[in-house]
């Protein structure tokens, strides 16, 4: 019976050609956006892969030189753009894509895509997630209004609900019809593009498939929550005009105003230090070049560590030991200063996520980038991986200097080739999904609230 009711409601929806045409146009916009982003992602990743090979060749063929000079010569490493960024770009356009790994410094990542974006791209709307989160609720409100409010205005709906033995099936059939139209036009085409992109870039892994299914499920739940709330509002409103006003107001407040107001409030209440402040603090605590007094202090510390009184008694090269001493000291400073910065960013994200209980849109803004692998924790994981690679490379070069005391030592490709090529394995979904626990619980609460409110309004209509 429910299938025949859904079929009937779909037929009724298809007769509303103007509204359906606008939904199809919106779905086409999402599809084109996903396709454009997927093609761009593929091209960017191919360029990064090509340049990474060139960088490896440059490292291996740098010629004979002092190992510490090689640590300064070093390499660029690149972060592959996540395959599901075609669904949600997350922070990718706003963070660097490559980092220069050299001795003494943990450099900032370079080349933010947003820095070269067009005027339209800078609006921040050009990915399926933001389009769906922002505008799909408006289309849901219009669809729900068109299939419920007008029937209610004519008294047809109250008559059917009061005489039907299964009134909930009648309303649920309308909801399923709306959901079928929305999922098939707004979500499935983008997922298909992401799947094709995954296959074309040989990124067809269990984790990516899991992420894609989870993104589809989460977006569908978001649409379902909005649909249940919109139906409840339409059923409980006294007239069609009041229902439309409340629906549009609900969309403006929960989707347009609250997320932006909460985000701005969090930034104001928990401001992040500027890049200049961070760099100044690092330069003060771990300078790349030390004074004569600092050099003497480190020389004495090294002599004491090896239990000797003069440089001639050392079994290692003093210059190499000083370089190694300074390098390891800087590691502690980087971990402390940058660790504090990353923790502040995490705290900001967690504070914003807490307000998911005020708006399902806020929950989706928090969850979608995590599922797509474009959130800050994924970016931080790359930074940490690249930094560990840098430290291993620099420590190995300094060790080579230390092992050849009292001589101007040089090395060649035989040493450079001992440094493995940089590879990066992103976090799997289970490692990062725990950060979205508040948002996911908020979605569960919103879903329960929407379902309960819908049942309540149906029973009220029967009275």
């Amino acid at each position: 019976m429910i299938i025949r009711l859904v079929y009937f409601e779909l037929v009724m929806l298809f007769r509303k050609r103007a509204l359906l045409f606008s939904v199809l146009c919106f779905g086409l916009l999402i599809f084109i956006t996903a396709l454009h982003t997927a093609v761009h992602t593929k091209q960017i990743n191919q360029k990064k892969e090509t340049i990474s090979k060139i960088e490896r060749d440059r490292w291996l063929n740098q010629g004979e030189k002092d190992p510490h000079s090689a640590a300064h010569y070093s390499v660029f490493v690149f972060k592959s753009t996540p395959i599901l960024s075609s669904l949600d770009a997350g922070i990718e356009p706003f963070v660097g894509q490559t980092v220069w790994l050299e001795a003494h410094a943990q450099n900032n990542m370079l080349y933010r895509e947003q820095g070269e974006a067009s005027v339209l791209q800078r609006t921040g709307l050009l990915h399926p997630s933001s389009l769906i989160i922002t505008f799909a609720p408006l289309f849901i409100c219009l669809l729900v209004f068109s299939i419920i409010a007008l029937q209610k205005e004519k008294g047809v709906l109250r008559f059917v609900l009061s005489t039907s033995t299964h009134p909930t099936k009648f309303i649920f059939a309308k909801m399923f019809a709306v959901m079928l139209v929305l999922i098939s036009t707004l979500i499935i085409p983008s997922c298909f593009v992401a799947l094709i992109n995954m296959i074309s870039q040989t990124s067809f892994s269990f984790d990516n498939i899991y992420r894609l299914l989870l993104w589809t499920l989460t977006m569908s739940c978001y649409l379902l929550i909005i649909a249940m709330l919109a139906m409840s509002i339409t059923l409980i409103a006294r007239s069609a005009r009041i229902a439309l006003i409340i629906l549009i107001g609900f969309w403006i407040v929960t989707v347009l105003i609250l997320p932006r107001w909460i985000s701005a409030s969090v930034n104001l209440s928990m401001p992040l230090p500027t890049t200049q402040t961070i760099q100044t603090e690092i330069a003060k605590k771990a300078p790349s070049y030390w004074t004569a007094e600092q050099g003497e202090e480190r020389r004495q510390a090294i002599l004491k560590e090896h239990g000797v009184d003069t440089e001639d008694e050392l079994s290692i090269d003093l210059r190499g030991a000083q370089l190694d001493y300074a390098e390891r000291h800087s590691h502690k400073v980087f971990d402390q200063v940058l660790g504090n910065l990353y923790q502040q960013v995490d705290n900001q994200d967690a504070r914003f996520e807490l307000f998911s209980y005020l708006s399902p849109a806020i929950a989706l803004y928090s969850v979608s980038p995590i599922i797509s692998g474009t959130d800050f924790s994924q970016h931080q994981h790359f930074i940490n991986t690249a930094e560990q690679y840098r430290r291993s490379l620099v420590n190995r070069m300094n060790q080579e200097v230390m092992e050849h005391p009292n001589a101007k030592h040089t090395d060649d490709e035989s040493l450079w080739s001992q440094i493995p090529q940089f590879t990066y394995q992103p976090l799997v979904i289970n490692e990062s999904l725990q950060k979205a626990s508040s948002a996911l619980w908020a979605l569960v609460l919103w879903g329960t609230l929407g379902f309960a409110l819908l049942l309540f309004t149906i029973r009220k209509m029967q009275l």
Side-chain angles (χ1 to χ4, degrees), residues 104-108 334-335 338 342 383-384 387 390-391:
H104 309 307
Q106 183 175 352
N107 292 321
N108 291 327
F334 297 151
D335 290 342
L338 296 178
Y342 298 151
I383 292 174
N384 292 339
E387 174 62 11
R390 184 191 74 84
R391 293 179 184 183

Side-chain angles (χ1 to χ4, degrees), residues 96-379:
Q97 300 298 308
T98 181
V99 61
W100 170 246
L101 307 178
E102 64 171 333
H104 309 307
Q106 183 175 352
N107 292 321
N108 291 327
M109 293 192 68
L110 304 173
Y111 305 120
R112 296 173 174 84
E113 287 187 23
Q114 195 68 5
E116 301 176 358
S118 64
V119 174
L120 184 60
Q121 289 171 325
R122 287 199 295 271
T123 60
L125 295 175
L126 293 181
H127 56 86
S129 279
S130 63
L131 287 170
I132 293 173
I133 295 171
T134 306
F135 295 109
L138 177 61
F139 286 96
I140 293 174
C141 292
L142 295 176
L143 284 171
V144 168
F145 178 80
S146 69
I147 63 172
I148 290 184
L150 296 180
Q151 288 185 2
K152 183 186 171 189
E153 193 84 352
K154 295 175 182 176
V156 177
L157 191 62
R158 183 176 291 277
F159 174 76
V160 172
L161 292 179
S162 59
T163 56
S164 174
T165 53
H166 301 289
T168 53
K169 287 185 179 179
F170 184 73
I171 296 297
F172 285 165
K174 291 180 180 295
M175 187 175 65
F176 290 149
V178 170
M179 289 301 299
L180 280 175
V181 170
L182 292 172
I183 291 175
S184 60
T185 54
L186 306 186
I187 296 179
I188 297 299
S190 299
C191 292
F192 178 73
V193 170
L195 186 64
I196 296 299
N197 192 34
M198 207 181 290
I199 295 171
S200 68
Q201 295 194 49
T202 61
S203 299
F204 198 81
S205 65
F206 173 78
D207 186 62
N208 283 333
I209 292 295
Y210 185 25
R211 287 177 183 273
L212 183 59
L213 292 175
L214 202 56
W215 186 85
T216 306
L217 178 64
T218 307
M219 280 295 165
S220 301
C221 287
Y222 173 66
L223 300 185
L224 180 62
I225 289 169
I226 300 297
M228 288 191 296
L229 292 173
M231 284 191 165
S232 302
I233 292 171
T234 309
L235 287 172
I236 209 167
R238 292 183 178 178
S239 67
R241 180 180 295 179
I242 293 176
L244 185 59
I245 292 172
I246 296 175
L247 288 175
I248 298 299
F250 172 78
W251 171 64
I252 292 174
V253 172
T254 60
V255 177
L256 297 184
I257 296 178
L258 271 179
R260 286 156 182 78
W261 180 60
I262 297 297
S263 176
S265 299
V266 170
N267 285 338
L268 285 174
S269 62
M270 306 172 69
L272 296 176
T274 63
T275 303
Q276 186 62 40
T277 302
I278 294 293
Q279 290 178 341
T280 302
E281 186 176 358
I282 289 177
K284 183 178 179 182
K285 294 181 177 179
S288 299
Y289 302 96
W290 53 83
T291 62
E293 291 78 9
Q294 289 171 326
E296 179 59 25
E297 183 181 335
R298 290 174 183 175
R299 191 180 75 87
Q300 292 298 332
I302 292 169
L303 294 177
K304 183 178 180 181
E305 181 181 346
H306 288 80
V308 297
D309 297 323
T310 64
E311 299 176 24
D312 296 334
E313 297 177 73
L314 281 173
S315 58
I316 59 172
D317 182 77
L318 178 61
R319 170 177 162 266
Q322 287 178 313
L323 291 170
D324 183 69
Y325 184 96
E327 196 68 38
R328 294 182 190 279
H329 170 71
S330 68
H331 296 168
K332 296 176 184 175
V333 174
F334 297 151
D335 290 342
Q336 179 204 344
V337 177
L338 296 178
N340 289 338
L341 173 65
Y342 298 151
Q343 186 59 53
Q344 291 180 63
V345 176
D346 279 341
N347 292 341
Q348 269 198 350
D349 289 347
R351 178 70 65 85
F352 178 76
E353 190 182 325
L354 276 180
F355 289 92
S356 300
Y357 295 98
L358 294 182
S359 164
I362 294 178
L364 261 292
Y365 279 125
S366 299
V367 170
S368 180
I370 292 176
I371 295 175
S372 303
T374 55
D375 62 311
F376 178 74
S377 64
Q378 198 73 249
H379 182 67

